[in-house]
Amino acid sequence: MDESLVHLIHLQEADVEVAQLRQAIAALPRHLATIEEKLRTQTLGVEQADKAIQAEETKRRRLESDIKDQQQKIAKFREQSSSVKTNEQFHALQHEITFAENEIRKLEDLELEGMERAEQLETSRKQTRQELANHKAFVEQEKESTRRQTAEKQARLDTLNASRAEFRSQIDADLLADYDRVASARGTGLARVEGQRCLGCQMFLRPQMWNQVREGQRIHCESCGRLLYYDQASEPIPEPPIVEPSKRKKRAVPEPPETES
């Protein structure tokens, strides 16, 4: 394998890693955006829980005020009933008292229902607040991890770019242009062949092309267009053939001669 092709192989290895690093670096902010969006949703959930509990508290105070109003009415009607002169007036006041008492019972039932709702909302709010606190801590950890990973990956990217520039300077211009053209379309411009197969697209080569690649000729895969190369050192070692053990024939044991009696 000529030296220019060796540099090209190293260049492709660097190009592949550079592409992976760039994707990883670009994915980190997207990951942060996703978990921060969840944080915003949880924060909104806590705020909504706070508002719901405040609304229940407002309802409870209003119900307590309405109960107090009905109790004052009852006290007033009872005070008036002591000074009425006719049965009709007395019965009318008793009817008003009964109505007010029924209203109090209804209001107290509503107040009890509201207290149960408020209790459930408070339990839910505590859980939501705990989840929010846990997720806030997780987000801060992920931010720190993202900063560290970004710095590490960027440092590795800088090193690779320097290596790429060195490799490119040592490759024949025509070969480099050929590689760049295919790589821009296929992602990679080079493919190793193994077992009469292009490892870039997994298609089999015609026998003539297989021989040409093994002889060191620069040809392109007829299927994917990548520049093909053969590396004897990477070729898998064939397994030794299995030899069946030969079966030995048993020797016939001669029968003893008959004796005359």
Side-chain angles (χ1 to χ4, degrees):
M1 189 183 301
D2 64 74
E3 188 176 359
S4 188
L5 186 57
V6 172
H7 291 313
L8 191 62
I9 293 171
H10 292 322
L11 172 62
Q12 177 160 287
E13 291 172 350
D15 284 345
V16 169
E17 188 176 353
V18 163
Q20 293 172 345
L21 283 170
R22 285 174 176 169
Q23 289 177 357
I25 291 172
L28 291 172
R30 292 196 296 269
H31 169 64
L32 279 183
T34 300
I35 62 177
E36 286 178 337
E37 178 59 32
K38 182 179 178 180
L39 183 64
R40 284 190 289 271
T41 301
Q42 289 178 322
T43 303
L44 180 61
V46 170
E47 292 173 356
Q48 290 174 340
D50 290 339
K51 291 178 180 178
I53 290 175
Q54 290 172 2
E56 288 296 334
E57 182 64 23
T58 301
K59 290 179 184 177
R60 186 183 63 81
R61 287 196 297 268
R62 186 169 64 247
L63 289 170
E64 287 178 348
S65 177
D66 292 342
I67 290 172
K68 188 175 181 180
D69 289 343
Q70 294 298 329
Q71 289 172 339
Q72 289 174 349
K73 286 182 181 179
I74 291 172
K76 178 181 177 182
F77 291 145
R78 282 177 178 166
E79 184 180 353
Q80 291 176 353
S81 64
S82 63
S83 60
V84 295
K85 297 179 180 180
T86 65
N87 286 335
E88 288 182 359
Q89 291 176 334
F90 180 79
H91 288 308
L93 288 173
Q94 287 298 317
H95 175 75
E96 292 293 336
I97 291 171
T98 301
F99 179 81
E101 289 174 340
N102 290 335
E103 284 298 307
I104 288 174
R105 282 192 288 271
K106 291 178 183 179
L107 291 169
E108 287 176 340
D109 288 342
L110 292 174
E111 186 180 21
L112 180 60
E113 292 174 1
M115 291 172 64
E116 291 175 349
R117 284 195 303 272
E119 185 178 352
Q120 293 173 352
L121 286 169
E122 182 59 35
T123 300
S124 176
R125 180 171 68 173
K126 286 181 179 179
Q127 181 180 353
T128 305
R129 281 178 172 175
Q130 185 59 52
E131 291 175 352
L132 177 61
N134 293 341
H135 195 63
K136 277 183 178 179
F138 172 71
V139 169
E140 291 304 314
Q141 291 174 357
E142 288 298 292
K143 284 182 178 179
E144 179 59 32
S145 176
T146 297
R147 285 190 288 268
R148 185 179 65 256
Q149 290 184 58
T150 300
E152 291 172 353
K153 292 181 186 301
Q154 188 59 54
R156 176 60 179 164
L157 189 60
D158 294 341
T159 300
L160 284 170
N161 283 329
S163 299
R164 289 178 66 250
E166 180 65 22
F167 291 141
R168 291 180 70 88
S169 68
Q170 299 177 25
I171 300 172
D172 177 75
D174 292 338
L175 178 62
L176 186 60
D178 198 8
Y179 166 83
D180 288 338
R181 177 183 57 80
V182 179
S184 64
R186 292 289 184 176
T188 55
L190 203 61
R192 186 168 65 85
V193 296
E194 180 182 295
Q196 203 173 334
R197 186 161 49 92
C198 168
L199 297 184
C201 63
Q202 305 301 320
M203 294 298 291
F204 278 92
L205 276 63
R206 291 185 289 108
Q208 180 183 354
M209 291 185 65
W210 171 239
N211 291 332
Q212 290 174 325
V213 175
R214 286 190 296 173
E215 291 170 359
Q217 297 185 35
R218 295 176 184 174
I219 59 175
H220 293 269
C221 176
E222 293 179 317
S223 176
C224 66
R226 292 180 175 89
L227 185 64
L228 301 175
Y229 72 95
Y230 176 76
D231 185 3
Q232 177 66 43
S234 301
E235 193 73 14
I237 301 174
E239 296 182 1
I242 299 175
V243 179
E244 293 286 343
S246 60
K247 295 181 179 179
R248 298 175 62 184
K249 293 182 179 180
K250 292 184 178 180
R251 292 171 59 187
V253 179
E255 296 181 1
E258 296 182 358
T259 58
E260 293 182 0
S261 58

